[in-house]
Amino acid sequence: MHKSKLGGFIIDCRTSDLPAAADFWGAALGMPIRELPGAEGQLYRRLEDSQHGLEIEVQKVEHPSRVHLDIETDDIEAEVRRLEALGAKRIQSVQTWWVMEAPTGQRFCVVQASSPKFHERAAQWP
Amino acid sequence: MHKSKLGGFIIDCRTSDLPAAADFWGAALGMPIRELPGAEGQLYRRLEDSQHGLEIEVQKVEHPSRVHLDIETDDIEAEVRRLEALGAKRIQSVQTWWVMEAPTGQRFCVVQASSPKFHERAAQWP
């Protein structure tokens, strides 16, 4: 048995100016911006969502700008298989997560659980 | 003075089969699906997010599938002006909401506040 839930979303921005992109989205959503250390900080800024407990990040990308959802889980392989059974497809394994594509066409990621209330809020799957 | 916050997101699906699209996303996110009455029900299914208190809907659309964010507010015109000052552009007024475009290219909507904890969680703007 494993668990999963909506982890949050990533605001993918095709931009050369990640700080400006994060400034816009932080101000638009009323969320403080946190810089991240090391290589991660070159690609991501975190928006602190104390309102809902979601993991929200602004990401610098090369593809067209969009928003993608993250599903967080305590067992990535089991969750990817569950989503495949629902009709999603594996697209690419990246570092610790999987990029998948929904039957309705949106890309999304399956990531390791990190939200503080994961075990309390997540659904449990057989 | 007015208030705003992240209201939720809409999973826009280019599909002729809204129930199937909602079935996938409800199962993927572990959220119950609620049908909506009347004309709204032809285009939308609600996903009940008791985990985070977000307004999440699956929408049948004609444009390519994507996910778009909704910002909820108690004063749409004031919020649209605030977002314009941050660099966003008005795209289209639809029923009671505005479609806008971020400087980073994503479309999003400014909608009337409806979440139960809006006044408690929203940021207040001068």
Side-chain angles (χ1 to χ4, degrees):
Chain A
M1 291 203 298
H2 76 284
K3 289 181 167 183
S4 72
K5 64 181 275 298
L6 173 69
F9 54 82
I10 309 295
I11 303 173
D12 293 327
C13 299
R14 184 155 66 178
T15 179
S16 59
D17 191 345
L18 175 63
D23 283 350
F24 170 79
W25 283 105
L29 300 179
M31 295 179 185
I33 300 159
R34 182 183 290 178
E35 293 193 26
L36 297 169
E40 200 179 5
Q42 304 301 308
L43 292 180
Y44 297 93
R45 292 280 189 285
R46 182 164 294 152
L47 303 187
E48 292 186 6
D49 177 24
S50 58
Q51 300 160 8
H52 316 93
L54 294 174
E55 181 79 11
I56 303 176
E57 293 180 346
V58 176
Q59 181 179 199
K60 180 182 170 184
V61 298
E62 303 293 328
H63 59 69
S65 289
R66 60 190 181 209
V67 173
H68 79 255
L69 302 181
D70 277 354
I71 292 175
E72 62 175 348
T73 179
D74 56 3
D75 186 334
I76 288 187
E77 183 59 26
E79 179 66 2
V80 167
R81 286 183 189 166
R82 185 183 77 87
L83 292 160
E84 284 181 316
L86 294 173
K89 292 178 186 167
R90 296 181 201 237
I91 299 295
Q92 191 181 2
S93 172
V94 182
Q95 297 180 40
T96 59
W97 63 90
W98 266 97
V99 180
M100 299 193 76
E101 187 171 289
T104 49
Q106 297 91 346
R107 297 280 171 102
F108 64 97
C109 293
V110 180
V111 306
Q112 292 184 331
S114 66
S115 72
K117 297 191 177 175
F118 172 76
H119 283 287
E120 174 187 327
R121 291 177 168 176
Q124 182 159 301
W125 309 108
Chain B
M1 293 203 297
H2 75 284
K3 289 181 167 184
S4 73
K5 66 181 274 298
L6 172 68
F9 54 82
I10 309 295
I11 305 173
D12 293 326
C13 300
R14 184 156 65 178
T15 179
S16 59
D17 191 344
L18 175 62
D23 283 349
F24 171 79
W25 283 105
L29 300 177
M31 295 179 185
I33 301 159
R34 182 183 290 178
E35 293 193 26
L36 297 169
E40 200 180 6
Q42 302 301 308
L43 292 179
Y44 297 93
R45 291 282 189 284
R46 181 164 295 150
L47 303 187
E48 291 186 5
D49 178 23
S50 59
Q51 301 160 7
H52 316 94
L54 294 173
E55 181 78 12
I56 303 176
E57 292 180 348
V58 176
Q59 182 180 198
K60 179 181 170 185
V61 298
E62 302 293 328
H63 59 69
S65 291
R66 61 192 180 207
V67 173
H68 79 254
L69 302 182
D70 277 354
I71 293 176
E72 61 173 350
T73 178
D74 55 4
D75 185 334
I76 288 186
E77 182 59 26
E79 179 65 2
V80 166
R81 287 184 189 165
R82 186 183 77 84
L83 293 160
E84 284 181 315
L86 295 173
K89 292 178 185 167
R90 294 180 202 241
I91 298 295
Q92 192 181 1
S93 172
V94 182
Q95 299 180 37
T96 59
W97 63 90
W98 266 97
V99 180
M100 300 192 76
E101 187 171 289
T104 48
Q106 298 91 346
R107 298 279 171 101
F108 63 97
C109 293
V110 180
V111 306
Q112 291 184 332
S114 65
S115 72
K117 297 191 176 177
F118 172 75
H119 283 286
E120 173 188 328
R121 291 178 168 176
Q124 183 158 298
W125 308 107

